Amino acid sequence: MLALAKVSLLVAALGHFVESHPPTHYSPWLRPRVEAHPCDGISGRNSSWHAQAEKVGVVVVGGGVAGLTTAKTLVDNSISDVLLLEAQDYLGGRVRTYRQEGVVVEEGAEWIHGGWRNPVYRIAVAIDGVDTPLPDEAFDWRVVTHEGVPTDKTRYEVVETLRDVCERSDDVLLAYYGLAYGQCFLDKFEGEYGPGYDSELGEGWLHYLEQIVNGEEGTESWLDIAAREADKYPDLGYDFQWKSGYDTLFQYYEASIPASKIKLNSPVCRILWDEGDDQVLVVTQSGTSYLASHVVVTASFGHLKERHTNIFEPPLPESFSKHFGHLDLGVSNKIQLGWTEPWWGSKPLDLDIIWTSQDVPLDRLWLYDIVNVASVHSAPNVLQMFVMGKDSKNMENLPKETVLEHVMYLLKRVTQQDVPEPDFFHRTSWYNNPWTRGAYETYITLWGDHQGLKGHDPITVPLKNSQGRQVVFWAGEHTHSTRYGTVDGALQTGEREGYRLLDLLRPGKNA
Ligand SMILES: Cc1cc2nc3c(=O)[nH]c(=O)nc-3n(C[C@H](O)[C@H](O)[C@H](O)COP(=O)(O)OP(=O)(O)OC[C@H]3O[C@@H](n4cnc5c(N)ncnc54)[C@H](O)[C@@H]3O)c2cc1C
């Protein structure tokens, strides 16, 4: 009986999957984006690269938190021959604050996960940037079906209990090693929800739960990530925010790294890492070249996974390519809408959507991925939605006006209120960005788990050239063994590689 019930739950979940993923010909917006990569023009070898190369001690590839921290660690410790090359026209990578006419929203990271144990929190306190989010009671919390019908809020306890059981209780997840993380939730949902778990409403809550988990893990489906991997992630406690934007963090870096050591708009397209004389040749998209003694690669995992065969010569060792194949970077996006007055009422809004049926027009099925609409802490007149899961990438391919039209349709339907046209509209496209190809986090897939991948450590091993010298180093959230997918994790990897290099460059040590 129990087994049958589980099967029916899975069938229901599969039904949702199929319904939300109709064949392409039904859904004109489901088009894969095939674009030339900005580095496509730089390939092979060019003799002028060597001849014209500028000599640099250490080149840091990427100016996200990991790259900035590597550079800071070196400069703070008297290694000044450092050059940071950033592909885009801004620093921060997946930390990006967007400002428009007084409205401040975050495109990427928003939360400082945890207090004193989190190094980002300690920096935020030191530069007087930290803020405590509003308590839950301050919000107008609504739980509605996607038709806008209020539904039983006490069911939220099922979500909380299951998160306690599968996320926070190590012993429980141990039994799921070798299985997908989502399996734990699927197995325990029926018992926790009780009668009605397979009703429309029960399925709606199951979908809500999955999307909350996808939002945390950054996964397209909770069946993608291995339970063993999810179990490694430590919870550092209460979440904090920044008073005036996450980019306040860059004051910390600006105080150390001279502007002359940073080059924006400088995508690194080739890294020839065994060039004799222990030199690494680094070539940017414009053909500018550098001969460096050491290179620290902090480019995002999505970019490395897609481009490593074009970038590195000789090719990366098999241990790397194997891991690149079995890790994934999730895609989550944000949509933000702002008004001069909050039309929903005087309190900040926190609206959970329990999808009880799928009668959404086919051309806007991606809306099914949205299960929450909430006021932004730093901008109370702005509502934010996360698009997580399978259709986040597809949303990116829709024109901005279409996304706006669709979310306005959703807002009117779920609030049953008269929603005025917004004055502010913004959406992210983390997958279409060729330098990120995803949002968060870089995780070992279930398939990777089955192939014996136990952690991220193998992709942190420095590359040795044919003389046995360590020449290429790796930092970035994807190289953290437990706090992958976070700003603090990225920061710690930058410190780790900075100190590894410092150790190597110590006088007397033959680097
Ligand atoms: C929507 C979203 C929400 C998030 N929420 C949170 C949160 O609340 N809390 C939290 O702690 N974390 C959060 N994160 C995760 C966090 O932002 C990242 O883990 C962290 O910023 C990663 O830093 P990084 O330096 O490893 O990588 P990145 O920030 O991706 O930096 C890599 C840099 O390398 C550059 N680059 C790539 N390729 C090249 C190349 N070939 N040449 C030169 N430069 C290159 C990129 O342009 C980029 O600037 C979120 C991320 C997103 C996208």
Side-chain angles (χ1 to χ4, degrees):
M1 182 62 194
L2 195 68
L4 254 181
K6 275 181 195 154
V7 169
S8 74
L9 203 61
L10 276 172
V11 169
L14 191 67
H16 279 172
F17 173 82
V18 172
E19 281 173 74
S20 64
H21 291 76
T24 315
H25 59 273
Y26 286 137
S27 191
W29 49 270
L30 269 175
R31 274 193 309 266
R33 190 144 161 151
V34 185
E35 275 181 3
H37 192 276
C39 278
D40 278 348
I42 299 282
S43 59
R45 294 184 154 264
N46 184 326
S47 55
S48 70
W49 293 344
H50 260 283
Q52 291 164 10
E54 183 186 326
K55 288 215 166 198
V56 185
V58 182
V59 165
V60 177
V61 180
V65 167
L68 287 166
T69 310
T70 309
K72 178 179 162 56
T73 307
L74 294 172
V75 173
D76 282 352
N77 288 280
S78 310
I79 303 292
S80 56
D81 192 7
V82 176
L83 181 66
L84 185 151
L85 299 173
E86 164 53 49
Q88 304 190 75
D89 59 2
Y90 72 98
L91 290 173
R94 283 171 278 165
V95 172
R96 190 173 202 192
T97 306
Y98 181 82
R99 293 184 167 79
Q100 188 187 306
E101 291 165 13
V103 178
V104 181
V105 290
E106 301 296 346
E107 290 192 356
E110 193 159 336
W111 302 93
I112 303 170
H113 299 298
W116 293 108
R117 287 164 66 201
N118 184 328
V120 178
Y121 177 82
R122 297 197 291 272
I123 296 168
V125 170
I127 58 179
D128 192 24
V130 85
D131 206 0
T132 307
L134 292 169
D136 289 350
E137 312 79 74
F139 286 82
D140 170 7
W141 180 39
R142 306 180 197 172
V143 182
V144 297
T145 68
H146 78 288
E147 304 282 4
V149 180
T151 185
D152 186 3
K153 284 182 179 178
T154 60
R155 289 292 186 189
Y156 188 78
E157 283 165 25
V158 175
V159 174
E160 278 297 283
T161 307
L162 286 177
R163 288 181 58 206
D164 269 338
V165 169
C166 294
E167 276 176 34
R168 298 170 194 134
S169 151
D170 288 347
D171 299 347
V172 172
L173 221 46
L174 215 72
Y176 286 88
Y177 281 18
L179 298 173
Y181 183 41
Q183 197 59 52
C184 177
F185 296 91
L186 282 170
D187 282 357
K188 298 189 186 307
F189 183 75
E190 176 194 340
E192 199 50 46
Y193 194 93
Y197 75 95
D198 54 354
S199 65
E200 259 195 10
L201 200 58
E203 288 168 21
W205 277 103
L206 181 64
H207 173 65
Y208 176 85
L209 174 63
E210 167 164 17
Q211 290 301 82
I212 295 298
V213 175
N214 282 334
E216 277 165 3
E217 304 299 325
T219 41
E220 291 191 7
S221 156
W222 55 7
L223 297 178
D224 291 344
I225 180 170
R228 188 195 319 269
E229 174 78 339
D231 201 20
K232 284 196 208 113
Y233 184 85
D235 185 350
L236 300 185
Y238 198 73
D239 287 343
F240 294 89
Q241 290 197 328
W242 290 84
K243 275 186 210 161
S244 318
Y246 222 117
D247 59 0
T248 314
L249 174 62
F250 301 131
Q251 291 173 10
Y252 167 73
Y253 296 107
E254 280 160 13
S256 284
I257 313 170
S260 60
K261 306 223 167 283
I262 296 176
K263 281 199 160 81
L264 298 178
N265 299 308
S266 302
V268 169
C269 297
R270 297 280 286 151
I271 299 178
L272 312 180
W273 54 279
D274 199 2
E275 291 297 285
D277 293 335
D278 294 328
Q279 298 291 297
V280 181
L281 185 65
V282 176
V283 185
T284 68
Q285 187 193 5
S286 64
T288 308
S289 51
Y290 303 90
L291 265 177
S293 304
H294 301 97
V295 175
V296 186
V297 178
T298 76
S300 328
F301 180 77
H303 169 64
L304 289 176
K305 180 166 173 144
E306 180 186 52
R307 299 290 302 180
H308 71 93
T309 52
N310 304 76
I311 299 172
F312 295 97
E313 186 180 321
L316 295 179
E318 205 196 323
S319 54
F320 278 83
S321 37
K322 180 176 172 193
H323 273 73
F324 284 178
H326 294 317
L327 277 99
D328 255 335
L329 172 61
V331 180
S332 288
N333 279 297
K334 294 180 183 179
I335 296 175
Q336 294 130 345
L337 299 97
W339 294 265
T340 41
E341 293 295 325
W343 51 266
W344 52 90
S346 55
K347 288 171 97 180
L349 183 66
D350 181 5
L351 185 144
D352 288 322
I353 305 167
I354 310 303
W355 289 83
T356 49
S357 66
Q358 277 67 57
D359 61 341
V360 186
L362 278 175
D363 69 341
R364 56 200 64 185
L365 269 175
W366 68 274
L367 292 171
Y368 183 53
D369 276 3
I370 298 172
V371 294
N372 178 264
V373 178
S375 298
V376 171
H377 174 79
S378 56
N381 292 353
V382 174
L383 294 180
Q384 175 168 280
M385 309 164 203
F386 262 87
V387 188
M388 49 229 169
K390 302 197 183 317
D391 286 327
S392 202
K393 282 180 195 164
N394 296 320
M395 181 280 292
E396 294 185 23
N397 290 341
L398 290 174
K400 202 174 163 187
E401 309 72 52
T402 310
V403 174
L404 174 59
E405 183 201 324
H406 290 181
V407 292
M408 285 294 285
Y409 162 87
L410 179 72
L411 280 179
K412 287 177 186 162
R413 200 156 169 180
V414 294
T415 63
Q416 296 288 306
Q417 282 180 257
D418 192 14
V419 183
E421 284 301 309
D423 308 300
F424 171 87
F425 176 72
H426 193 59
R427 62 99 183 248
T428 61
S429 298
W430 287 108
Y431 184 75
N432 281 341
N433 181 332
W435 310 111
T436 52
R437 285 284 184 254
Y440 64 93
E441 53 190 45
T442 303
Y443 60 90
I444 296 180
T445 58
L446 179 59
W447 179 241
D449 190 60
H450 288 174
Q451 299 306 301
L453 267 63
K454 296 281 183 287
H456 299 221
D457 290 352
I459 54 170
T460 68
V461 178
L463 295 183
K464 286 185 180 168
N465 65 13
S466 45
Q467 276 78 50
R469 294 271 180 83
Q470 295 182 355
V471 285
V472 176
F473 301 77
W474 307 91
E477 59 85 14
H478 57 285
T479 70
H480 201 287
S481 49
T482 56
R483 295 285 296 169
Y484 45 83
T486 63
V487 178
D488 49 287
L491 186 146
Q492 286 176 338
T493 66
E495 279 179 352
R496 182 191 67 209
E497 295 311 308
Y499 283 113
R500 198 199 295 263
L501 256 174
L502 282 171
D503 189 41
L504 212 64
L505 298 171
R506 246 184 314 132
K509 197 127 183 192
N510 194 1

